[in-house]
Amino acid sequence: GNSVTQMEGPVTLSEEAFLTINCTYTATGYPSLFWYVQYPGEGLQLLLKATKADDKGSNKGFEATYRKETTSFHLEKGSVQVSDSAVYFCALRTSQGGSEKLVFGKGTKLTVNP
Amino acid sequence: DAGVIQSPRHEVTEMGQEVTLRCKPISGHNSLFWYRQTMMRGLELLIYFNNNVPIDDSGMPEDRFSAKMPNASFSTLKIQPSEPRDSAVYFCASSLGTTGSYGYTFGSGTRLTVV
């Protein structure tokens, strides 16, 4: 079945450090890939997405490239801020037999210290 | 745009009681999803609707759970009777389309505690 594996957290960084959160997936067909962010006490927000191989999604300084050959969609940011502290979820979406599903990874908690 | 609106934000109830969670999707969105989030199991899709019709309820844990969408602007998730293991944050999300390129917009969630 379809699944997403992302790096275990928590991740703790200092402000302005480089961030990478790894995400790999298993899926039939050609899924769309997403990163969502969840701030404390809030719902998930779409951060960025990519719908086909080699696409790069970007938003708020975050980037992720859809790598079909390595089935990966790693999230990166060159210089994190305290306000980036949140839980980050990698997800994929396919349509199987007319039943679409957004499948999430378990989430990676990021804490950025000043 | 007010976003996806869920109510209540918090609910504390005693075991055996009926609980009803409510969701108002974004106007014009034709797909609606109910998720449950716990530390142990992460995010789980419970059920989703397309054009008010339930499409996939394979994630509904058992018959104690039921969901309805009587119109395009309202959905409920009911648990009867509730049990302590149902304690979780329940999210509703809506989406404009059914193809893979559309993301979801999530509500702020309902934190349910069953004591």
Side-chain angles (χ1 to χ4, degrees):
Chain A
N2 298 330
S3 67
V4 173
T5 302
Q6 59 182 107
M7 64 186 288
E8 295 282 332
V11 174
T12 302
L13 296 173
S14 298
E15 207 164 22
E16 299 184 1
F18 184 85
L19 168 71
T20 299
I21 300 178
N22 290 336
C23 171
T24 57
Y25 67 90
T26 301
T28 55
Y30 301 97
S32 293
L33 301 174
F34 303 82
W35 276 100
Y36 281 81
V37 58
Q38 184 178 27
Y39 298 103
E42 299 183 12
L44 281 71
Q45 302 174 24
L46 179 62
L47 181 60
L48 53 84
K49 70 178 184 183
T51 58
K52 62 182 186 296
D54 299 325
D55 268 2
K56 177 186 283 188
S58 61
N59 186 24
K60 299 180 181 179
F62 290 89
E63 293 184 340
T65 301
Y66 190 148
R67 301 288 187 198
K68 184 171 179 290
E69 63 277 13
T70 54
T71 61
S72 65
F73 193 55
H74 304 322
L75 182 68
E76 296 181 336
K77 186 174 185 181
S79 177
V80 294
Q81 305 300 311
V82 173
S83 57
D84 294 327
S85 298
V87 181
Y88 293 82
F89 293 89
C90 184
L92 67 82
R93 185 171 181 177
T94 64
S95 293
Q96 293 178 269
S99 173
E100 59 161 87
K101 294 180 185 293
L102 188 58
V103 176
F104 287 91
K106 292 188 179 298
T108 301
K109 183 176 182 180
L110 170 67
T111 301
V112 180
N113 295 317
Chain B
D1 187 349
V4 176
I5 300 173
Q6 292 187 244
S7 64
R9 286 298 307 273
H10 303 275
E11 176 79 36
V12 180
T13 190
E14 291 185 347
M15 181 174 61
Q17 296 297 305
E18 177 180 296
V19 176
T20 299
L21 311 181
R22 297 172 176 80
C23 175
K24 177 179 170 55
I26 290 175
S27 177
H29 281 192
N30 59 359
S31 296
L32 184 140
F33 307 82
W34 283 101
Y35 280 84
R36 179 171 67 177
Q37 185 179 36
T38 62
M39 289 294 292
M40 291 297 295
R41 301 174 69 92
L43 274 164
E44 303 172 276
L45 175 64
L46 302 178
I47 185 171
Y48 95 89
F49 297 83
N50 189 37
N51 293 323
N52 311 339
V53 176
I55 302 299
D56 183 356
D57 65 355
S58 60
M60 296 287 262
E62 47 197 276
D63 291 346
R64 297 185 297 106
F65 286 69
S66 62
K68 295 182 179 180
M69 192 164 187
N71 57 62
S73 60
F74 184 65
S75 177
T76 59
L77 178 68
K78 184 179 294 185
I79 307 172
Q80 166 63 21
S82 58
E83 297 182 3
R85 60 192 169 118
D86 302 330
S87 298
V89 181
Y90 290 81
F91 288 104
C92 175
S94 68
S95 177
L96 179 59
T98 56
T99 63
S101 62
Y102 288 100
Y104 298 179
T105 301
F106 282 79
S108 297
T110 295
R111 181 175 295 277
L112 173 65
T113 303
V114 183
V115 298

